[in-house]
């Protein structure tokens, strides 16, 4: 969803779709000021043994905004993004990123996997992508494609 679409998240889905009651209860319990952090959404998914995308759909249907993307791509105050281009990117990290691209973009879940493999914070991996001018795509919660 783009910034101008903010507040109309349910429109991404069929009008007949309703949020899963179990997920909706968990989301309501972790929501702060009408928002939920990416980390909290992933925690709910793990606790309920559902996919992050299922939690994302429930949040969309409930018109709940995701904040504090764990890759630093959106949801921070006041600047929105905290990603900054890394000063250097090792050849090994560059290769791992470039060989994982799908249609010239790095899917979020693969970004997480590469960060884990290299012992990096997720934001450090996003900073490397920023330096390489590689876009991260397919948010696991569904915030962006």
């Amino acid at each position: 969803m783009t910034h101008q679409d903010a507040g109309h998240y349910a429109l991404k889905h069929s009008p007949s779709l309703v949020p899963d009651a179990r997920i909706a209860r968990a989301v309501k319990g972790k929501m702060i000021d009408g928002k939920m952090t990416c980390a909290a959404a992933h925690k709910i998914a793990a606790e309920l043994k559902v996919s992050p995308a299922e939690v994302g759909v429930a949040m969309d249907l409930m018109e709940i905004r995701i904040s504090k993307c764990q890759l630093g791509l959106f949801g921070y105050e006041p600047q929105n993004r905290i990603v900054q281009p890394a000063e250097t990117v090792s050849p090994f990290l560059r290769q791992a990123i470039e060989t994982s691209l799908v249609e010239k973009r790095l899917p979020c879940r693969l970004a997480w996997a590469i960060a884990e493999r290299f012992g990096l914070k997720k934001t450090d991996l996003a900073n490397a992508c920023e330096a390489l001018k590689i876009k991260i795509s397919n948010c696991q919660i569904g915030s962006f494609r």
Side-chain angles (χ1 to χ4, degrees):
M1 290 246 103
T2 61
H3 181 68
Q4 57 267 32
D5 294 325
H8 302 287
Y9 311 118
L11 295 176
K12 297 190 303 188
H13 308 284
S14 167
S16 63
L17 196 58
V18 295
D20 176 284
R22 236 173 21 120
I23 297 172
R25 274 192 305 279
V27 165
K28 285 179 185 173
K30 298 226 189 250
M31 182 170 80
I32 299 172
D33 295 327
K35 299 177 186 175
M36 181 178 307
T37 66
C38 172
H42 278 271
K43 185 174 182 179
I44 289 170
E47 289 171 353
L48 297 180
K49 295 180 176 46
V50 298
S51 72
E54 291 174 85
V55 175
V57 168
M59 291 173 62
D60 285 346
L61 296 173
M62 297 166 70
E63 297 293 344
I64 297 170
R65 181 177 224 142
I66 297 171
S67 66
K68 296 187 181 173
C69 163
Q70 293 182 73
L71 289 166
L73 301 176
F74 65 90
Y76 292 84
E77 299 291 333
Q79 70 275 29
N80 193 34
R81 293 171 51 98
I82 60 170
V83 173
Q84 299 293 319
E87 288 185 27
T88 61
V89 179
S90 78
F92 299 109
L93 181 57
R94 176 190 287 264
Q95 182 180 16
I97 291 169
E98 289 176 349
T99 59
S100 298
L101 297 180
V102 176
E103 297 179 5
K104 299 182 182 179
R105 293 176 180 250
L106 182 65
C108 176
R109 77 176 169 76
L110 295 179
W112 282 35
I114 293 168
E116 184 176 335
R117 185 170 122 210
F118 282 82
L120 298 172
K121 292 188 272 181
K122 293 174 186 97
T123 52
D124 290 339
L125 187 278
N127 292 341
C129 288
E130 191 76 7
L132 298 170
K133 299 191 183 330
I134 292 172
K135 298 284 186 193
I136 297 174
S137 65
N138 296 333
C139 170
Q140 297 172 78
I141 302 171
S143 286
F144 58 86
R145 289 282 156 215

